[in-house]
């Protein structure tokens, strides 16, 4: 019995020693993994956002959009019996794009036509009889009402029959095909997208400093990298009377497309506006941009820390970028050392 107790005690001591050793090893491993943090400031260089002269030409970047674009929908419910277009086709105004089964609506139209013809003949006959005093004025009036009602029913039946033919509302290119032969559609089901690109519109945001120098009807030049040697003439068609919270104002430019060098809707374009005088713009060094130039942000120094600020960029001047919104003149932006930064980080400026 005593021997058994000694063996059990020995085992417990061994297990306890093993557990202590494992705990000690885990504590040492965790201490090695622990990240040592410091409050050391990150050194950066900065530059101020400044107003700079850009010459007498205002340069803007925008996207060419279709002058008119709609999704054509069915005005009748039923099975599609004809699809007369495909993606990319050019269709003329009034062209039949698709048809819906018109069996019952055609029968209703024919019945309405027969009823109309009958009441028309009866009304004409009653007019003659009334002249001979063979029918009363009340009978003639009732027949006239019946004739007019038959006329309305015929027009209604014709409209419902016409609605089974889905037609192009204007000339343009098919941008989407949403149905196939045999599909069942309801009223309002999208059938096809159509876009008129004979003229294109370019929507832009212009800073408050420049928008007061623009006017509707003013001619502008529109260029694109797709056709480097071609420049399109455009006209400012609309200038919004209301700006955004960032003090930018939407404007719209219309250009006539070129059959020899046609532009597609969605193409990036450069718009050049002759301002007649030097145009000031808020500029920052290109090196201040983090993320991408298409979706830019910068680190702005506020005392001893930085904050990540999203900006709206305008023109590109190689080493400088125009800022339309997000910064004001005098703001200090980080131009070197951004790789080590995060929002709220403490910094030490090493340049004057």
């Amino acid at each position: 019995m005593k021997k058994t107790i000694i063996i059990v005690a020995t085992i417990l001591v061994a297990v306890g020693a093993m557990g202590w050793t494992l705990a000690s090893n885990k504590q040492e491993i965790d201490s090695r993994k622990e990240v040592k943090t410091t409050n050391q400031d990150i050194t950066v260089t900065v530059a101020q956002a400044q107003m700079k002269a850009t010459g007498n030409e205002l340069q803007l970047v925008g996207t060419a959009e279709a002058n008119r674009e709609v999704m054509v929908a069915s005005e009748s419910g039923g099975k599609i019996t004809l699809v007369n277009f495909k993606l990319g086709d050019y269709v003329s105004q009034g062209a039949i794009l698709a048809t819906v089964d018109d069996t019952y609506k055609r029968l209703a139209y024919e019945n309405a036509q027969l009823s109309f013809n009958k009441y028309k003949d009866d009304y004409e006959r009653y007019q003659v009889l009334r002249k001979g005093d063979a029918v009363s004025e009340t009978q003639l009036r009732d027949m006239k009402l019946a004739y007019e009602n038959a006329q309305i029913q015929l027009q209604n039946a014709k409209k419902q029959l016409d609605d089974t033919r889905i037609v192009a509302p204007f000339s343009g290119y098919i941008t989407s095909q949403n149905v196939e032969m045999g599909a069942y559609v309801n009223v309002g089901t999208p059938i096809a997208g159509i876009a008129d690109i004979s003229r294109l519109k370019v929507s832009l945001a212009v800073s408050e400093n420049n928008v007061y120098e623009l006017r509707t009807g003013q001619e502008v030049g529109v260029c694109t990298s797709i056709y480097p040697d071609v420049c399109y003439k455009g006209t400012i068609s609309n200038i919004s009377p209301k700006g955004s919270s960032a003090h930018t104002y939407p404007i719209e430019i219309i250009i006539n497309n070129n059959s020899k060098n046609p532009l597609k809707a969605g193409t990036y374009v450069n718009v050049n506006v002759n301002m007649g005088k030097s145009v000031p713009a808020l500029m920052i060094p290109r090196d201040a941009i983090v993320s991408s130039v298409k979706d830019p942000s910068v680190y702005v120094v506020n005392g001893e820390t930085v904050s990540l600020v999203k900006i709206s960029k305008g023109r590109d001047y190689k080493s400088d970028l125009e800022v339309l919104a997000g910064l004001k003149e005098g703001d200090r932006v980080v131009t070197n050392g951004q790789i080590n930064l995060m929002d709220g980080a403490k910094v030490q400026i090493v340049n004057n």
Side-chain angles (χ1 to χ4, degrees):
M1 182 67 178
K2 184 182 294 185
K3 185 177 180 179
T4 303
I5 294 173
I6 293 172
I7 292 172
V8 172
T10 303
I11 292 173
L12 291 175
V13 171
V15 171
M18 186 181 296
W20 180 84
T21 303
L22 290 174
S24 299
N25 290 341
K26 184 177 185 303
Q27 186 176 5
E28 183 178 352
I29 292 170
D30 290 343
S31 66
R32 290 177 182 175
K33 290 183 178 179
E34 185 179 353
V35 178
K36 305 295 183 183
T37 59
T38 65
N39 292 325
Q40 185 176 357
D41 296 351
I42 300 170
T43 56
V44 296
T45 60
V46 301
Q48 283 191 338
Q50 297 178 341
M51 297 298 295
K52 294 183 179 180
T54 61
N56 65 348
E57 195 170 71
L58 178 63
Q59 298 178 336
L60 304 166
V61 178
T63 303
E65 303 169 356
N67 183 45
R68 291 184 293 176
E69 186 171 11
V70 298
M71 180 63 69
V72 183
S74 176
E75 295 186 62
S76 180
K79 185 174 70 174
I80 294 293
T81 56
L82 172 69
V83 176
N84 197 33
F85 67 94
K86 62 181 181 296
L87 187 66
D89 280 354
Y90 179 83
V91 294
S92 299
Q93 181 177 0
I96 296 176
L97 303 178
T99 59
V100 178
D101 184 15
D102 64 355
T103 303
Y104 294 112
K105 291 182 172 59
R106 183 173 296 280
L107 291 173
Y109 172 72
E110 291 174 355
N111 183 62
Q113 183 72 63
L114 291 173
S115 179
F116 171 75
N117 291 340
K118 174 185 178 301
Y119 281 108
K120 180 182 178 183
D121 291 342
D122 287 348
Y123 178 54
E124 290 175 349
R125 182 165 56 85
Y126 268 53
Q127 286 178 307
V128 173
L129 292 173
R130 178 56 188 154
K131 290 179 180 178
D133 205 25
V135 296
S136 66
E137 186 68 31
T138 300
Q139 289 175 308
L140 177 63
R141 185 182 69 245
D142 290 344
M143 182 54 65
K144 180 182 179 183
L145 290 174
Y147 163 69
E148 290 175 345
N149 182 63
Q151 189 175 33
I152 292 172
Q153 294 302 318
L154 178 62
Q155 292 173 348
N156 181 60
K158 185 177 186 305
K159 175 66 169 62
Q160 292 191 37
L161 179 61
D162 290 344
D163 286 347
T164 62
R165 297 192 299 273
I166 302 160
V167 301
F170 51 78
S171 299
Y173 289 91
I174 299 296
T175 58
S176 64
Q177 179 178 338
N178 300 83
V179 295
E180 297 291 345
M181 181 83 87
Y184 187 90
V185 297
N186 294 311
V187 176
T189 299
I191 303 298
I194 183 171
D196 172 18
I197 59 170
S198 59
R199 296 202 303 168
L200 297 169
K201 60 183 177 183
V202 183
S203 299
L204 303 164
V206 179
S207 67
E208 187 175 273
N209 292 329
N210 296 321
V211 73
Y212 282 91
E213 303 297 327
L214 304 179
R215 65 184 186 279
T216 56
Q218 184 175 352
E219 291 190 355
V220 301
V222 180
C223 305
T224 174
S225 59
I226 305 299
Y227 305 114
D229 300 325
V230 180
C231 191
Y232 304 80
K233 287 185 179 180
T235 304
I236 298 176
S237 58
N238 288 298
I239 301 175
S240 175
K242 181 180 179 181
S244 67
S245 59
H247 295 273
T248 60
Y249 293 76
I251 71 168
E252 191 174 274
I253 293 168
I254 296 294
I255 60 175
N256 291 320
N257 214 340
N258 187 326
S259 58
K260 185 178 180 181
N261 303 109
L263 289 176
K264 298 181 184 298
T267 303
Y268 282 115
V269 295
N270 299 310
V271 178
N272 302 312
V273 185
N274 189 343
M275 303 295 286
K277 64 178 183 179
S278 180
V279 180
L282 186 63
M283 299 281 193
I284 60 171
R286 190 185 184 90
D287 293 339
I289 299 297
V290 296
S291 63
S292 68
V293 175
K294 289 186 178 179
D295 187 26
S297 299
V298 295
Y299 282 105
V300 178
V301 178
N302 302 305
E304 297 180 349
T305 62
V306 294
S307 56
L308 186 62
V309 176
K310 187 177 179 63
I311 65 170
S312 174
K313 83 171 190 70
R315 295 160 286 178
D316 191 333
Y317 291 94
K318 295 184 179 179
S319 61
D320 288 334
L321 285 176
E322 179 187 14
V323 177
L324 297 178
L327 297 176
K328 62 182 182 299
E329 186 176 7
D331 281 347
R332 293 182 298 170
V333 295
V334 176
T335 56
N336 191 20
Q338 300 99 315
I339 193 171
N340 299 314
L341 293 179
M342 60 186 300
D343 198 25
K346 295 186 67 177
V347 295
Q348 180 181 0
I349 300 172
V350 296
N351 64 324
N352 293 326

